[in-house]
Amino acid sequence: MSKVVKSDDEWRDELSAEEYAITREAATERAFTGKYWDTKTPGTYRCRCCGSELFDSQTKYDSGSGWPSFYQPVTANAVATQADNSMMMERTEVVCAECEAHLGHVFPDGPQPTGLRYCMNSASLDLEERSES
Ligand code: FE
């Protein structure tokens, strides 16, 4: 599987300042401010940076956190995780498997069937809406 690799300048050209700070520098948008935290529109959430499919709206739920939350990615290989011990916390960072965009963190307090909460930044995602009949 080929990975998407771009230079810092290329990412800066393609992303807004906020999107760059979040996806390439692991910043976090403020809770309840992102464009998708309360979205219930059906569709596929793609990576803002490389367009790969990350999450489906069917696995999105209201976590009350103020960030878009999902209980699983579209496929096990869509995202990758790594330990994040910054901010005096032990957390698990979630990144895009294709381009390593920072997406957010995953916590073990989600709903069944996985028990996981993928706590994502809206700025890392792009919703491709679909019409459901
Ligand atoms: Fe990506």
Side-chain angles (χ1 to χ4, degrees), residues 39-46 54-62 69-74 127-130 132:
T39 301
K40 296 177 176 66
T41 310
T44 301
Y45 287 86
R46 293 178 177 274
L54 300 175
F55 296 95
D56 191 278
S57 59
Q58 289 178 331
T59 65
K60 191 175 189 289
Y61 71 101
D62 184 5
S69 302
F70 306 83
Y71 61 77
Q72 71 181 15
V74 283
L127 174 59
E128 183 179 73
E129 298 184 10
R130 73 171 163 257
E132 293 192 333

Side-chain angles (χ1 to χ4, degrees), residues 24 47-52 54 96-101:
R24 310 319 308 183
C47 176
R48 171 65 187 86
C49 292
C50 75
S52 65
L54 300 175
C96 172
E98 280 296 309
C99 76
E100 297 182 351

